[in-house]
């Protein structure tokens, strides 16, 4: 049974990718594709970065043409969460299109945030993260549009809400399609182990009149549970059983019709300006269904920051949405993959045989490289140029980089945006990422380096406690000592009541990309060997947080463009 499903999933995904390939770079009709593609960003700076890259994609004909692509930045001030971004985007669309919006099919992709758990996506955005697929290379934006390519022709005007760091694969029988034509909300649901349900939303289904086993089933949801305990899943009758296995249906993407969009707009006007984060899943969907109660509004266990006014705003959401239907489409032959962390990114793109087979991922996508047969199955190279003498160990990812002669890459490492000079070795379990900055009117280069398991979000209350932070399993105080720095003089950017690896100013600004890489590799080797590595006395030291604030977008995109042109030139000469 599982093998049959796997083959169906592969075929279904291949068909969608082929269908998207046929419209890539061509003008599309509104009845076969989205009228509007909307992407959210955390601020104006990120919006500008997204817009520049989307414009380049359109120029290179990498996206369907003839439709509008919008990027909406969250308003300045406090963070508003993906729920707040949904409401704000609706307002922006309504301001721009007015009543015409009632006839539009819209996809909204949440791509805001600084990607602290996958820093290679921080500068240029997680919606533009490389996916080892396609020619030219796919990024998450193309993949999202490809996986959902069948949806627009089978939905009423309204909005499909999804996130930029997950992949949902599904298949249905040849006679069926996923249809979004009901009022209220309609959510996709995936069968998942109970352990997965504890970190996702879980649907409690109304009893079926005639239960049946099939690839797809339309049901009604009586209650939505947000990150529930296993005990609560059982108590609320969310647990299903098939062939002796217990599972729950978890959330991913959902749709709401135009009428519901207007209800949400009315709600937005009631609660504006937002002073706290709203979750597009937990705070909206928990208000829906026959068994929804106001109780969840008091539960702040899953909230990172206990913000003033959150409970009151949740109550307003509940009362405004109560009674709105929550329909569920059970996709019984589907898979949900999250790729929002360094470890997930490494596993899914280099090691996981399931996703590789289902999505048709390549070991080398839009690249110039000559991997040994033993290297081809367990590595991932995207939009990069590798000298033929480069060797890569299994489980590693290289993207948007140049690796010169005899470079060695250890296992389970991520190399992003780097230019690595001859004879250098990148150790295993290393995340290394080069960025360009504008400081004092000059262009500089910064290479940040972390362990793939390092926690960039973990913070301490002052620089005096930096010993509690660890980089490659070495406490930060010992790290800076090995680099010739005095711990008491180490600076943390931004809010110094939250000192972390994210805002520790420990990375030197260099004059070129190659030197920047060499410098950070030297710092890393000092930690590995326990020997000292003196940073240049006059070096300007910066943090990843500060680097992103001062990033030189044009310089980074110029490096990618040069790679792009060189890859095209080399590959076209080989094909002659």
């Amino acid at each position: 049974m599982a093998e049959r499903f796997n083959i169906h999933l592969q075929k279904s995904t291949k068909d969608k990718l082929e269908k998207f390939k046929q419209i890539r770079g061509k003008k599309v009709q509104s009845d076969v594709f989205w009228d509007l593609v909307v992407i959210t960003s955390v601020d104006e700076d990120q919006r500008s970065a997204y817009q520049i890259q989307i414009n380049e994609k359109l120029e290179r004909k990498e996206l369907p043409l003839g439709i509008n692509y919008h990027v909406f930045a969250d308003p300045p001030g406090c963070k508003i969460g993906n729920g707040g971004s949904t409401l704000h985007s609706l307002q922006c669309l309504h301001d721009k299109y007015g009543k015409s919006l009632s006839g539009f099919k819209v996809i909204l992709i949440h791509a805001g945030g600084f990607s602290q758990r996958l820093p290679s996506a921080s500068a240029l955005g997680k919606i533009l993260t490389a996916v080892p697929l396609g020619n030219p290379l796919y990024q998450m934006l193309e993949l999202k549009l490809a996986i959902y390519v069948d949806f627009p022709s089978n939905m009423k005007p309204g909005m499909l809400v999804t996130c930029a760091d997950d992949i949902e694969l599904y298949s249905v029988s040849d006679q069926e399609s996923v249809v979004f034509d009901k009022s209220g909300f309609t959510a996709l649901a995936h069968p998942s182990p109970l352990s997965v349900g504890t970190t996702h939303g879980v649907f409690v289904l109304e009893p079926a009149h005639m239960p049946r086993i099939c690839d797809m089933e339309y049901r009604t949801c009586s209650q939505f549970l947000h990150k529930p305990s296993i005990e609560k899943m059982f108590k609320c009758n969310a647990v299903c059983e098939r062939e002796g296995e217990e599972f729950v249906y978890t959330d991913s993407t959902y749709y709401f019709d135009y009428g519901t969009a207007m209800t949400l707009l009315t709600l937005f006007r009631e609660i504006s300006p937002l002073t706290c984060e709203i979750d597009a899943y937990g705070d909206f969907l928990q208000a829906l269904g026959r068994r929804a109660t106001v109780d969840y509004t008091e539960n702040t266990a899953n909230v990172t920051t206990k913000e003033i006014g959150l409970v009151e705003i949740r109550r307003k959401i509940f009362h405004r949405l109560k009674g709105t239907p929550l329909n569920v489409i059970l996709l019984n032959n589907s898979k949900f993959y999250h790729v929002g962390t360094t470890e997930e990114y490494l596993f899914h793109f280099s090691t996981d045989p399931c996703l590789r087979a289902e999505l048709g991922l390549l070991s080398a996508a839009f690249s110039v490289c000559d991997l040994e047969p033993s290297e081809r199955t367990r590595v991932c190279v995207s939009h990069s140029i590798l000298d033929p003498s480069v060797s890569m160990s299994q489980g590693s990812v290289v993207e948007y980089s140049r690796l010169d002669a005899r470079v060695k890459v250890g296992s389970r490492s991520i190399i992003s945006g780097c230019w690595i000079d001859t004879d250098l070795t990148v150790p295993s379990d290393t995340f290394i990422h080069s960025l360009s900055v504008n400081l004092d009117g000059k262009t500089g280069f910064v290479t940040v380096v972390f362990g793939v398991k390092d926690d960039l979000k973990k913070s301490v209350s002052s620089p005096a406690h930096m010993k509690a932070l660890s980089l490659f399993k070495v406490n930060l105080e010992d790290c800076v000592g090995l680099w010739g720095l005095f711990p008491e003089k180490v600076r943390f950017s931004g809010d110094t009541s939250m000192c972390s690896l994210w805002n520790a100013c420990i990375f030197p600004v260099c004059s070129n990309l190659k030197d920047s890489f060499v410098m950070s590799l030297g710092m890393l080797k000092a930690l590995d060997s326990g020997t000292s590595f003196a940073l240049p006395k006059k070096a300007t030291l910066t943090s990843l947080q500060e680097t992103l604030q001062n990033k030189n977008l044009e310089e980074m995109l110029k490096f990618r463009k040069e790679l792009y042109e060189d890859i095209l030139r080399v590959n076209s000469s080989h094909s002659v």
Side-chain angles (χ1 to χ4, degrees):
M1 177 81 78
E3 188 60 34
R4 178 184 71 82
F5 279 168
N6 190 30
I7 292 166
H8 282 200
L9 208 57
Q10 287 182 43
K11 181 182 181 303
S12 175
T13 305
K14 187 178 180 182
D15 290 346
K16 294 184 187 85
L17 292 170
E18 186 58 37
K19 189 171 179 180
F20 181 73
K21 184 181 175 183
Q22 297 307 316
I23 60 172
R24 204 179 180 195
K26 297 186 178 69
K27 196 164 184 178
V28 289
Q29 302 300 317
S30 62
D31 58 336
V32 297
F33 200 63
W34 306 99
D35 297 296
L36 304 172
V37 174
V38 178
I39 297 163
T40 65
S41 68
V42 71
D43 56 23
E44 194 58 36
D45 186 44
Q46 194 175 64
R47 186 205 68 78
S48 172
Y50 285 173
Q51 198 67 63
I52 289 167
Q53 291 174 88
I54 289 167
N55 290 345
E56 282 195 357
K57 282 178 172 294
L58 291 169
E59 284 173 23
R60 294 196 299 255
K61 297 190 173 180
E62 294 176 6
L63 293 169
L65 309 177
I67 64 164
N68 288 324
Y69 294 82
H70 295 293
V71 185
F72 294 135
D74 289 349
C78 67
K79 290 167 74 174
I80 61 173
N82 54 16
S85 295
T86 301
L87 299 175
H88 176 67
S89 297
L90 272 174
Q91 186 65 62
C92 292
L93 290 173
H94 191 260
D95 291 346
K96 187 170 185 64
Y97 293 104
K99 289 184 178 177
S100 300
L101 194 58
S102 65
F104 289 165
K105 299 168 184 180
V106 184
I107 181 169
L108 174 69
I109 307 173
H110 287 300
F114 294 117
S115 301
Q116 286 174 273
R117 296 186 300 165
L118 183 61
S120 51
S122 294
L124 297 173
K126 51 190 166 185
I127 190 60
L128 298 154
T129 301
V131 179
L133 200 65
N135 186 14
L137 185 73
Y138 275 45
Q139 293 175 316
M140 283 300 289
L141 176 56
E142 285 92 335
L143 184 59
K144 281 281 173 185
L145 296 177
I147 296 302
Y148 301 148
V149 72
D150 293 330
F151 288 176
S153 57
N154 294 295
M155 72 184 260
K156 289 190 341 186
M159 179 177 279
L160 188 84
V161 178
T162 187
C163 293
D165 57 3
D166 57 51
I167 301 167
E168 301 96 14
L169 306 180
Y170 69 93
S171 76
V172 297
S173 70
D174 293 340
Q175 297 78 36
E176 293 183 300
S177 299
V178 175
V179 177
F180 299 100
D181 61 355
K182 294 180 173 63
S183 61
F185 287 76
T186 301
L188 301 182
H190 312 271
S192 303
L194 274 59
S195 58
V196 171
T198 61
T199 57
H200 286 74
V202 172
F203 299 101
V204 181
L205 305 175
E206 295 281 10
H209 298 299
M210 292 180 64
R212 60 195 183 100
I213 297 175
C214 53
D215 284 1
M216 181 177 68
E217 192 178 349
Y218 293 91
R219 295 280 290 276
T220 305
C221 180
S222 62
Q223 190 179 7
F224 179 84
L225 311 175
H226 186 54
K227 299 183 180 180
S229 65
I230 290 176
E231 182 187 12
K232 186 165 186 178
M233 293 179 211
F234 277 105
K235 187 179 176 183
C236 295
N237 295 319
V239 180
C240 305
E241 188 176 326
R242 183 173 302 146
E243 297 178 356
E245 285 191 28
E246 292 177 330
F247 65 95
V248 288
Y249 283 104
T250 55
D251 63 343
S252 64
T253 292
Y254 65 77
Y255 156 89
F256 53 80
D257 66 333
Y258 176 74
T260 304
M262 292 303 99
T263 302
L264 288 170
L265 266 183
T266 303
L267 165 69
F268 188 45
R269 288 163 193 148
E270 286 177 13
I271 61 178
S272 290
L274 286 175
T275 55
C276 59
E277 290 189 59
I278 298 174
D279 188 76
Y281 295 85
D283 292 332
F284 290 169
L285 301 189
Q286 281 188 103
L288 312 176
R290 178 179 57 82
R291 289 169 54 189
T293 68
V294 76
D295 299 352
Y296 78 88
T297 60
E298 304 274 352
N299 180 9
T300 56
N302 292 313
V303 177
T304 311
T305 311
K306 306 290 190 289
E307 291 147 316
I308 298 167
L310 175 61
V311 172
E312 184 186 344
I313 284 175
R314 279 180 170 177
R315 283 194 189 125
K316 287 181 178 177
I317 294 170
F318 174 79
H319 290 298
R320 176 59 64 180
L321 293 181
K322 184 169 169 56
T324 304
L326 177 53
N327 311 290
V328 183
I329 303 175
L330 308 183
L331 295 174
N332 288 314
N333 187 35
S334 64
K335 294 271 195 79
F336 176 91
Y337 295 95
H338 190 261
V339 286
T341 70
T342 52
E343 293 205 75
E344 288 170 342
Y345 190 65
L346 280 171
F347 176 68
H348 290 314
F349 286 169
S350 70
T351 307
D352 182 8
C354 295
L355 185 62
R356 183 169 286 234
E358 290 155 5
L359 205 49
L361 297 181
L362 304 170
S363 296
F366 193 66
S367 294
V368 175
C369 65
D370 185 19
L371 299 171
E372 293 292 325
S374 60
E375 296 173 325
R376 283 181 194 150
T377 55
R378 302 291 295 275
V379 299
C380 171
V381 181
S382 300
H383 198 119
S384 296
I385 298 177
L386 277 59
D387 186 89
S389 59
V390 168
S391 68
M392 284 183 69
S393 299
Q394 66 179 28
S396 286
V397 173
V398 175
E399 59 173 24
Y400 304 112
S401 296
R402 288 182 190 268
L403 276 60
D404 291 343
R406 298 176 300 283
V407 167
K408 292 185 174 69
V409 180
S411 60
R412 297 186 73 255
S413 291
I414 295 176
I415 296 168
S416 179
C418 301
W419 191 340
I420 309 181
D421 212 342
T422 56
D423 296 311
L424 294 176
T425 298
V426 178
S428 298
D429 300 299
T430 299
F431 170 88
I432 193 157
H433 176 40
S434 296
L435 305 99
S436 179
V437 291
N438 263 333
L439 285 173
D440 302 323
K442 294 179 183 175
T443 297
F445 298 87
V446 178
T447 297
V448 296
V449 59
F450 303 102
V452 293
K453 291 186 177 180
D454 287 346
D455 185 356
L456 274 63
K457 284 188 168 186
K458 180 183 177 182
S459 65
V460 293
S461 57
S462 77
H465 299 118
M466 72 168 75
K467 206 163 189 171
L469 303 174
S470 66
L471 184 67
F472 289 95
K473 298 180 181 177
V474 180
N475 80 68
L476 190 56
E477 188 173 298
D478 288 348
C479 291
V480 299
L482 288 169
W483 301 330
L485 304 174
F486 295 105
E488 61 273 14
K489 292 191 175 179
V490 171
R491 186 170 62 88
F492 286 81
S493 58
D495 183 357
T496 52
S497 68
M498 295 178 70
C499 299
S500 65
L501 295 182
W502 179 258
N503 67 340
C505 296
I506 54 176
F507 301 111
V509 180
C510 300
S511 60
N512 66 68
L513 205 51
K514 280 187 174 183
D515 288 352
S516 171
F517 186 91
V518 169
M519 188 74 69
S520 292
L521 192 63
M523 293 167 68
L524 169 55
K525 287 184 175 176
L527 303 187
D528 189 45
S529 62
T531 54
S532 60
F533 174 83
L535 288 167
K537 283 197 164 38
K538 292 186 178 179
T540 299
L541 299 181
T542 188
S543 65
L544 178 50
Q545 180 197 52
E546 204 169 60
T547 298
L548 294 171
Q549 289 168 351
N550 297 297
K551 67 176 180 277
N552 184 331
L553 194 67
E554 291 76 17
E555 189 68 32
M556 284 187 276
L557 290 175
K558 177 184 162 193
F559 180 64
R560 285 194 182 186
K561 191 173 184 180
E562 287 169 354
L563 277 172
Y564 177 91
E565 289 168 352
D566 286 351
I567 291 165
L568 276 186
R569 182 171 44 76
V570 173
N571 288 345
S572 61
S573 68
H574 285 172
S575 62
V576 172

